């Protein structure tokens, strides 16, 4: 009976260490996102009109936008450059990484604190290299989901 109890305790300890190592490994991967990024393309089924992140701007307005990600305090921002029918937008964000591949962020409105903002956006990290990464979002439209892929390229600061 003592051996069974000891085996159970050792098993639980091994599992918790394994989980901690996985979490550290996932965090290390996301720390590679630190820096300045340009959103180089937004890919989706063109039969739909996609306006990401409730900005009221067409998805193509996000192409060329600048994103700054600072993982040590999970803050950042994105900036839409404007031009044509596209608005100029500077949007502070707070983001987090969940389960190693889920990138969640929420927009911080002027004067609001991150903990007071309860709604945000969830995207999946589908690829990552030193200088590029891609996020995927499924957006509901006309009773089905439209797959939107955002592709980023590093522009500075690692």
């Amino acid at each position: 009976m003592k051996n069974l109890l000891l085996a159970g305790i050792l098993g639980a300890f091994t599992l918790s260490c394994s989980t901690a190592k996985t979490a550290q490994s996932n965090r290390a991967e996301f720390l590679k996102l630190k820096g300045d990024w340009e959103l180089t393309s937004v890919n989706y089924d063109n039969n739909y009109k996609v306006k990401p992140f409730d900005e009221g701007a067409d998805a193509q307005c996000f192409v060329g936008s600048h994103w700054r990600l600072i993982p040590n305090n999970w803050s950042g921002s994105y900036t839409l450059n404007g031009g044509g029918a596209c608005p100029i937008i500077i949007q502070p964000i707070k983001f987090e990484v969940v389960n190693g591949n889920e990138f969640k962020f929420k927009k911080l409105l002027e004067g609001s604190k991150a903990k007071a903002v309860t709604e945000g956006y969830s995207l999946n990290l589908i690829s990552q290299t030193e200088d590029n990464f891609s996020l995927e979002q499924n957006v509901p439209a006309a009773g089905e989901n439209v797959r939107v892929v955002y592709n980023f390229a590093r522009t500075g600061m690692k």
Side-chain angles (χ1 to χ4, degrees):
M1 185 66 146
K2 288 182 183 179
N3 288 340
L4 184 59
L5 181 60
L6 182 58
I9 292 171
L10 287 176
F13 179 73
T14 303
L15 181 61
S16 68
C17 288
S18 174
T19 303
K21 286 180 184 178
T22 301
Q24 287 176 340
S25 173
N26 291 338
R27 180 169 164 76
E29 285 303 307
F30 270 95
L31 285 175
K32 292 178 184 176
L33 294 179
K34 178 181 179 181
D36 295 320
W37 301 87
E38 179 182 332
L39 200 156
T40 58
S41 66
V42 181
N43 303 318
Y44 56 94
D45 181 343
N46 290 332
N47 291 322
Y48 295 95
K49 188 139 185 96
V50 175
K51 294 185 176 187
F53 316 126
D54 298 319
E55 291 296 358
D58 186 80
Q60 295 310 310
C61 291
F62 281 80
V63 174
S65 63
H66 174 259
W67 292 63
R68 173 165 280 180
L69 301 175
I70 307 168
N72 65 329
N73 67 0
W74 304 107
S75 66
S77 65
Y78 61 82
T79 304
L80 275 63
N81 302 321
C86 299
I88 295 173
I89 296 173
I90 301 171
Q91 180 60 63
I93 63 172
K94 272 295 203 185
F95 70 97
E96 66 178 331
V97 178
V98 180
N99 298 326
N101 67 347
E102 189 176 3
F103 181 89
K104 291 185 169 192
F105 78 91
K106 52 189 175 180
K107 300 188 310 186
L108 298 180
L109 303 175
E110 190 172 330
S112 67
K113 294 190 182 273
K115 65 183 175 183
V117 179
T118 59
E119 294 184 6
Y121 308 91
S122 180
L123 300 94
N124 293 313
L125 180 68
I126 56 174
S127 68
Q128 179 182 7
T129 67
E130 184 83 15
D131 294 316
N132 298 284
F133 73 95
S134 295
L135 297 172
E136 170 189 57
Q137 181 182 32
N138 290 309
V139 179
E144 55 187 77
N145 281 332
V146 176
R147 181 177 184 254
V148 182
V149 177
Y150 305 90
N151 298 301
F152 294 83
R154 185 179 296 282
T155 60
M157 184 177 74
K158 290 184 181 177

